[in-house]
């Protein structure tokens, strides 16, 4: 059985006793990879400079491969900054080139670059022989071909306008402009984006609305959407102590569902402002009540 696990980038890589993947120390060093991405960015997007590189995910399969997700912050000489995801997969030296050739063959028509509005056009994937690494540029994902449609803002806008009632508007309102933020990404598994939409009404009045989008690698997105919808309806009628944002709709063809955004700050960021003696009993009661709520449709 193959073992896949996450590793901490601060751990002592010597303790892994890795004999096949020769570049783990370098590819898990954010500062070193910032310099390596500087070369890549300069070639692909002249005018952009790398400001920083952070490693968000590492999946390690001993002696076989190591997959890393990088969030690279760039600037193009103005005040505008761009955050882009790249994920790389390191292979043993003897297999690296062969695996890249196989990936090219398997990708077929998916080799074309994807244009994201107001962003450079990145290569879908490339081979870095000095690191025995294949590097993909978001939104190219070999296990989620449809992810590219979620950054096609015309597709998103048309999908919204096909059912504006889902967003609380009558048929005379239209989505006019859409942008998105990168929120969370697990290559080959899930991706969370946040859309910002400008709506315009029949009398040229405007409203702004934001919501989340969660894309899955398989059709289980429907199950997760239905569970959320059941939980939402149940919480409104039977569990006022804990509420969740409203699930908006499921997009079957792209294994994605959309959900309302609730404004606010993450609990961990404001924890120091709270009275713990009152906060934690409330949290404990909410969790206990949630477990006793007999919410329908959940797996055991």
């Amino acid at each position: 059985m193959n073992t896949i696990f996450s590793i901490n980038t601060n751990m002592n890589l010597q303790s892994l006793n890795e004999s096949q993947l020769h570049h783990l120390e370098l590819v898990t060093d954010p500062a070193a990879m910032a310099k390596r991405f500087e070369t890549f960015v300069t070639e692909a997007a002249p005018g952009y400079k790398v400001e920083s590189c952070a490693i968000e995910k590492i999946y390690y399969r001993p002696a076989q491969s190591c997959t890393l997700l990088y969030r690279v912050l760039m600037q193009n000489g103005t005040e505008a900054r761009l955050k882009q995801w790249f994920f790389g997969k390191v292979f043993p030296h003897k297999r690296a080139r062969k695996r890249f050739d196989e990936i090219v063959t398997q990708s077929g028509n998916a080799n074309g670059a994807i244009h994201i509005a107001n962003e450079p056009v990145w290569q879908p994937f490339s081979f870095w022989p000095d690191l025995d690494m294949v590097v993909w540029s978001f939104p190219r994902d070999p296990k989620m071909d449809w992810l590219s449609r979620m950054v096609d803002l015309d597709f998103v806008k048309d999908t919204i306008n096909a059912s504006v009632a889902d967003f609380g508007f009558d048929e005379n309102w239209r989505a006019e402009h859409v942008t998105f933020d990168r929120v969370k990404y697990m290559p080959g598994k899930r991706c969370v984006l946040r859309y910002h939409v400008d709506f315009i009404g029949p009398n040229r009045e405007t409203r702004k609305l934001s919501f989340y989008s969660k894309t899955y690698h398989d059709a289980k997105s429907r199950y997760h959407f239905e569970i959320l919808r059941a939980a939402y309806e149940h919480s409104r009628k039977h569990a006022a102590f804990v509420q969740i944002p409203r699930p908006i709709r499921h997009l079957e063809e792209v294994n994605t569902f959309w959900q309302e955004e609730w404004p606010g700050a993450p609990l961990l960021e404001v924890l120091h402002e709270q009275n713990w003696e009152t906060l934690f009993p409330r949290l404990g009661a909410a969790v206990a009540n949630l477990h006793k709520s007999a919410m329908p449709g959940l797996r055991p």
Side-chain angles (χ1 to χ4, degrees):
M1 180 177 66
N2 292 329
T3 301
I4 305 175
F5 55 92
S6 300
I7 63 175
N8 187 317
T9 57
N10 295 320
M11 74 180 295
N12 180 6
L13 295 172
Q14 301 278 339
S15 65
L16 294 176
N17 195 29
E18 177 58 65
S19 61
Q20 298 299 315
L21 305 175
H22 304 304
H23 305 289
L24 286 187
E25 187 171 356
L26 194 154
V27 300
T28 56
D29 180 342
M33 291 307 293
K35 294 179 181 179
R36 186 62 180 81
F37 275 109
E38 181 72 52
T39 302
F40 177 76
V41 168
T42 300
E43 294 175 354
Y48 277 83
K49 299 294 184 182
V50 171
E51 287 194 358
S52 64
C53 172
I55 299 176
E56 295 193 350
K57 298 285 182 183
I58 301 178
Y59 299 101
Y60 173 56
R61 179 176 288 173
Q64 297 185 53
S65 66
C66 183
T67 302
L68 305 98
L69 175 64
Y70 302 96
R71 183 187 286 256
V72 179
L73 177 63
M74 294 166 276
Q75 189 172 18
N76 65 355
T78 67
E79 293 183 358
R81 282 179 167 81
L82 170 65
K83 292 180 180 179
Q84 168 65 327
W85 279 315
F86 300 96
F87 79 92
K89 193 165 188 176
V90 179
F91 297 98
H93 179 69
K94 292 182 179 180
R95 294 199 298 116
R97 170 61 72 172
K98 180 180 179 182
R99 287 294 295 120
F100 175 69
D101 292 339
E102 292 171 349
I103 289 166
V104 172
T105 300
Q106 292 165 2
S107 298
N109 294 330
N111 291 348
I114 296 171
H115 178 67
I116 302 175
N118 302 317
E119 296 190 12
V121 179
W122 305 103
Q123 300 177 50
F125 49 82
S126 54
F127 182 52
W128 295 5
D130 55 316
L131 299 179
D132 296 326
M133 175 186 273
V134 180
V135 178
W136 286 264
S137 303
F138 174 83
R140 185 67 73 200
D141 189 312
K143 295 185 179 179
M144 292 193 290
D145 288 342
W146 48 90
L147 186 56
S148 61
R149 299 188 69 187
M150 305 319 299
V151 298
D152 179 346
L153 300 183
D154 287 333
F155 167 76
V156 174
K157 184 171 70 173
D158 291 344
T159 304
I160 293 170
N161 284 330
S163 185
V164 292
D166 288 343
F167 297 86
F169 297 98
D170 66 37
E171 61 184 10
N172 295 315
W173 284 76
R174 310 296 292 171
E176 285 286 301
H177 182 63
V178 181
T179 60
F180 77 94
D181 300 327
R182 296 163 173 84
V183 178
K184 185 177 181 180
Y185 183 31
M186 300 175 68
K189 297 180 180 181
R190 292 184 293 281
C191 181
V192 180
L193 305 175
R194 182 194 293 113
Y195 295 114
H196 307 285
V197 187
D198 294 327
F199 285 89
I200 187 165
N203 299 314
R204 307 302 294 176
E205 64 270 45
T206 61
R207 280 185 58 189
K208 294 182 179 293
L209 184 147
S210 298
F211 64 93
Y212 285 95
S213 174
K214 192 167 188 178
T215 300
Y216 288 78
H217 75 285
D218 59 18
K220 288 183 180 178
S221 58
R222 165 61 74 176
Y223 166 79
H224 296 296
F225 173 74
E226 295 295 351
I227 287 298
L228 276 176
R229 188 160 61 175
Y232 172 77
E233 294 297 335
H234 182 79
S235 67
R236 294 178 68 202
K237 297 175 182 177
H238 307 290
F241 55 86
V242 56
Q243 299 290 307
I244 65 170
R246 178 177 66 90
I248 298 172
R249 65 181 304 183
H250 182 259
L251 284 62
E252 202 83 38
E253 70 274 24
V254 286
N255 294 334
T256 296
F257 68 78
W258 290 347
Q259 189 171 14
E260 281 183 339
E261 178 195 52
W262 279 1
L267 176 62
L268 291 179
E269 292 183 6
V270 297
L271 202 55
H272 65 283
E273 303 172 2
Q274 305 297 311
N275 182 335
W276 290 20
E277 291 185 2
T278 59
L279 174 63
F280 281 93
R282 287 169 52 204
L283 293 176
V287 172
N289 288 333
L290 182 64
H291 280 281
K292 295 187 294 184
S293 65
M295 199 172 293
L298 296 180
R299 291 181 292 191

